[in-house]
């Protein structure tokens, strides 16, 4: 111990201050200016239940992440699901903590993206097919679609006309998403803003869509259902 009383009391003050500082460091919550935003999340239990209505257990839901997408997703407002994980526009990610509790448009749109997760987990190279669509102008050329009005070419279907004799695996990977979102909307969103044009159109097409999806509805594990384009 130091024999000089001034020095000794100075030492005690320093020791106390150090102890206080370390206590603050360990216990205090971070300053309010440090707001942490998670940039990815897992599916909620409500989202999993909603997906099980369509994909049953053909998706390993524990492997699915939802991310805040980069500049492209936020600037265009488009989601992308190239490798089993959904990249969402920033505002969509932040405003929708649970797609099973949101408006009808967001729910059928979410099921469309989950179709790409199903395709990917079953073995489809969704990223490669997306690139091919991009090169063919599928995401840049607008067409007048019989089933959904003004539409990007990749999603265009004509279920009552041109596509009436097609099997599910003959539709491209985006059209498959469209067919599944129509079926899901007609069957499960009757009580979620039912005056939506998408819902009314889904009801109109239901019988025809159900015929195309019959094998998928019975067994979503069937790999012969996967798209080749
Ligand atoms: Zn899609």
């Amino acid at each position: 111990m130091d024999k000089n009383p001034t020095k000794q009391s100075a030492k005690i003050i320093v020791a106390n201050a150090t102890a206080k500082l370390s206590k603050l460091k360990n216990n205090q919550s971070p300053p309010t200016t440090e707001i942490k935003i998670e940039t990815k999340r897992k599916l909620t239990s409500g989202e999993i239940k909603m997906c099980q209505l369509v994909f049953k257990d053909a998706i390993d839901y524990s492997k699915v992440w939802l991310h805040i997408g980069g500049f492209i997703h936020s600037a265009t407002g488009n989601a992308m699901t190239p490798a089993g994980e959904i990249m969402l526009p920033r505002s969509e990610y932040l405003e929708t903590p649970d797609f099973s509790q949101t408006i009808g448009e967001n729910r059928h749109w979410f099921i469309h993206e989950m179709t790409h997760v199903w395709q990917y987990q079953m073995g489809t190279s969704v990223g490669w097919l997306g690139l091919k669509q991009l090169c063919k102008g599928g995401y840049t050329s607008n067409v007048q679609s019989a089933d959904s009005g003004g539409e990007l070419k990749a999603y265009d279907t004509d279920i009552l006309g041109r596509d009436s004799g097609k099997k599910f695996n003959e539709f491209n990977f985006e059209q498959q998403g469209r067919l599944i979102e129509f079926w899901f909307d007609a069957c499960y969103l009757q009580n979620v803003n039912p005056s939506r044009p998408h819902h009314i159109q889904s009801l109109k097409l239901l019988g025809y869509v159900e015929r195309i999806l019959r094998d998928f509805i019975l067994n979503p594990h069937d790999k012969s259902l996967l798209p080749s384009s």
Side-chain angles (χ1 to χ4, degrees):
M1 188 179 274
D2 207 308
K3 281 178 185 158
N4 180 333
T6 318
K7 249 182 156 181
Q8 202 180 323
S9 62
K11 265 189 178 173
I12 291 167
I13 290 166
V14 170
N16 282 343
T18 311
K20 270 184 190 165
L21 270 175
S22 90
K23 212 177 167 191
L24 274 175
K25 226 176 166 181
N26 294 333
N27 296 339
Q28 221 179 34
S29 48
T32 49
T33 46
E34 273 182 37
I35 299 168
K36 200 175 170 208
I37 298 175
E38 295 294 343
T39 56
K40 65 174 183 174
R41 69 168 176 85
K42 293 272 191 183
L43 296 173
T44 66
S45 59
E47 286 168 344
I48 293 173
K49 272 187 201 143
M50 193 165 83
C51 291
Q52 282 168 333
L53 296 170
V54 179
F55 306 102
K56 299 178 183 166
D57 64 345
I59 290 177
D60 181 346
Y61 298 102
S62 69
K63 287 187 179 162
V64 183
W65 287 96
L66 273 65
H67 297 259
I68 292 187
F71 172 74
I72 288 285
H73 313 99
S74 297
T76 61
N78 288 323
M80 283 184 198
T81 311
E85 302 190 4
I86 303 177
M87 315 297 289
L88 293 162
R90 187 178 179 81
S91 57
E92 211 76 51
Y93 178 94
L94 296 174
E95 288 160 17
T96 319
D98 186 344
F99 280 95
S100 70
Q101 300 295 320
T102 185
I103 57 170
E105 279 84 353
N106 282 354
R107 294 194 209 190
H108 69 68
W109 175 75
F110 173 71
I111 290 294
H112 174 109
E113 294 308 318
M114 286 302 294
T115 304
H116 299 323
V117 173
W118 169 77
Q119 291 162 337
Y120 177 80
Q121 286 199 7
M122 293 280 287
T124 302
S125 298
V126 175
W128 173 237
L129 295 185
L131 207 61
K132 287 209 282 188
Q133 270 299 333
L134 188 69
C135 294
K136 283 198 288 184
Y139 298 114
T140 45
S141 331
N142 268 293
V143 293
Q144 195 55 35
S145 169
D147 296 331
S148 42
E151 180 65 272
L152 289 173
K153 202 170 137 209
Y155 304 82
D156 173 33
T157 55
D158 181 5
I159 294 168
L160 305 183
R162 189 186 68 225
D163 298 329
S164 61
K166 273 190 185 173
K167 291 181 182 164
F168 186 53
N169 64 3
E170 292 172 311
F171 288 87
N172 76 37
F173 82 108
E174 290 293 11
Q175 293 167 328
Q176 285 198 341
R178 178 62 36 102
L179 289 165
I180 288 179
E181 74 180 52
F182 275 140
W183 180 72
F184 171 75
D185 195 345
C187 295
Y188 297 107
L189 299 183
Q190 297 100 329
N191 300 318
V192 188
N193 333 103
S195 58
R196 284 174 294 116
H198 189 280
H199 182 67
I200 292 166
Q201 181 65 350
S202 300
L203 290 176
K204 191 178 135 197
L205 297 173
L206 179 60
Y208 305 92
V209 169
E210 214 154 42
R211 185 193 60 73
I212 299 167
L213 290 183
R214 196 186 55 204
D215 292 341
F216 169 83
I217 295 164
L218 286 173
N219 180 19
H221 285 278
D222 182 353
K223 284 191 195 304
S224 73
L225 298 165
L226 294 173
S228 55
S229 61

